[in-house]
Amino acid sequence: GQNIDQPTEMTATEGAIVQINCTYQTSGFNGLFWYQQHAGEAPTFLSYNVLDGLEEKGRFSSFLSRSKGYSYLLLKELQMKDSASYLCAVHAYSGAGSYQLTFGKGTKLSVIP
Amino acid sequence: DAGVIQSPRHEVTEMGQEVTLRCKPISGHDYLFWYRQTMMRGLELLIYFNNNVPIDDSGMPEDRFSAKMPNASFSTLKIQPSEPRDSAVYFCASSRTSGSVNEQYFGPGTRLTVT
């Protein structure tokens, strides 16, 4: 199985930079996703990492270190609309030809003025 | 594209009743997933299908839960009989086989309350 850890809550100021960390322990690793989920809404895809390094997409960047079982999501120039939960999800082989996406509990980010 | 469609959006039922949740995946997607989300356990995979065939149902809590996908554009998740601990938001998601990123697109969810 997978064990995924991320902070429960974080608070940051509008215009600032925030880094949300995720550590995982898994076998059959096949990639790591970050999803954003606003309260009462569905998760939406933010980023995907399969190789070590940084993937940049506008104000959001995601980093992966496979050897350390570690990823982070970096949000720059924070806006009030970035207040949401951020879910780290590990894609891994789960046996019998099956790959699964296992989600962490999510980090609730509050952006304050 | 209309995205993943789920119905109903809200369901309130009494313990012991049968509940059927419905999902229409994005056209052309060959994977369909059912998830359950609660505050305590987060987002959990229940079952997923590939080309209408169930691949992994190890996340289905117990025999009270069943899922079907009779064709590429429709799936159901049934709970019979329902219990209060089944109260959660149930999401359906779909994705398509691609060379690299297989991002999943989630529907709006069905909020189920069992009293």
Side-chain angles (χ1 to χ4, degrees):
Chain A
Q2 287 86 33
N3 186 30
I4 302 170
D5 289 314
Q6 50 181 132
T8 304
E9 294 184 52
M10 297 182 71
T11 300
T13 305
E14 191 176 13
I17 299 173
V18 70
Q19 178 175 311
I20 302 174
N21 296 323
C22 171
T23 58
Y24 63 90
Q25 296 167 340
T26 188
S27 56
F29 179 83
N30 194 49
L32 189 139
F33 289 79
W34 284 94
Y35 278 79
Q36 180 190 58
Q37 186 176 25
H38 285 99
E41 298 184 9
T44 55
F45 170 79
L46 284 179
S47 69
Y48 172 72
N49 295 71
V50 64
L51 300 175
D52 286 358
L54 188 69
E55 294 282 341
E56 297 186 79
K57 189 186 293 185
R59 294 189 298 115
F60 292 4
S61 303
S62 57
F63 172 84
L64 175 66
S65 169
R66 294 175 66 135
S67 62
K68 295 182 179 178
Y70 169 69
S71 174
Y72 66 74
L73 180 69
L74 193 70
L75 291 75
K76 304 175 186 175
E77 302 170 16
L78 279 173
Q79 302 176 9
M80 299 300 290
K81 67 177 182 179
D82 297 330
S83 293
S85 286
Y86 291 85
L87 309 176
C88 171
V90 172
H91 193 235
Y93 183 68
S94 58
S98 171
Y99 286 83
Q100 287 192 14
L101 197 58
T102 303
F103 285 83
K105 294 277 182 65
T107 298
K108 184 178 180 181
L109 174 66
S110 297
V111 180
I112 58 176
Chain B
D1 199 317
V4 177
I5 299 172
Q6 290 187 248
S7 65
R9 294 293 306 276
H10 301 272
E11 177 80 34
V12 180
T13 190
E14 292 184 348
M15 182 174 63
Q17 296 298 307
E18 177 180 298
V19 175
T20 299
L21 312 180
R22 297 172 176 79
C23 174
K24 176 180 169 55
I26 293 173
S27 177
H29 283 194
D30 53 348
Y31 283 87
L32 183 140
F33 308 83
W34 282 102
Y35 290 90
R36 176 173 68 176
Q37 187 173 39
T38 61
M39 289 291 292
M40 289 295 294
R41 301 175 66 90
L43 194 60
E44 303 173 284
L45 177 67
L46 299 177
I47 184 172
Y48 79 90
F49 297 82
N50 179 217
N51 291 321
N52 314 338
V53 176
I55 302 301
D56 190 333
D57 65 353
S58 59
M60 295 286 261
E62 48 199 90
D63 292 345
R64 296 185 298 106
F65 285 68
S66 63
K68 295 181 180 179
M69 191 165 186
N71 57 64
S73 59
F74 184 66
S75 177
T76 59
L77 178 68
K78 185 175 294 186
I79 308 173
Q80 167 64 20
S82 58
E83 297 182 3
R85 60 188 167 130
D86 300 332
S87 296
V89 180
Y90 290 80
F91 287 103
C92 175
S94 70
S95 69
R96 64 180 179 85
T97 303
S98 69
S100 54
V101 183
N102 296 323
E103 63 184 273
Q104 295 180 18
Y105 294 81
F106 284 76
T110 295
R111 182 173 295 276
L112 173 66
T113 303
V114 183
T115 60

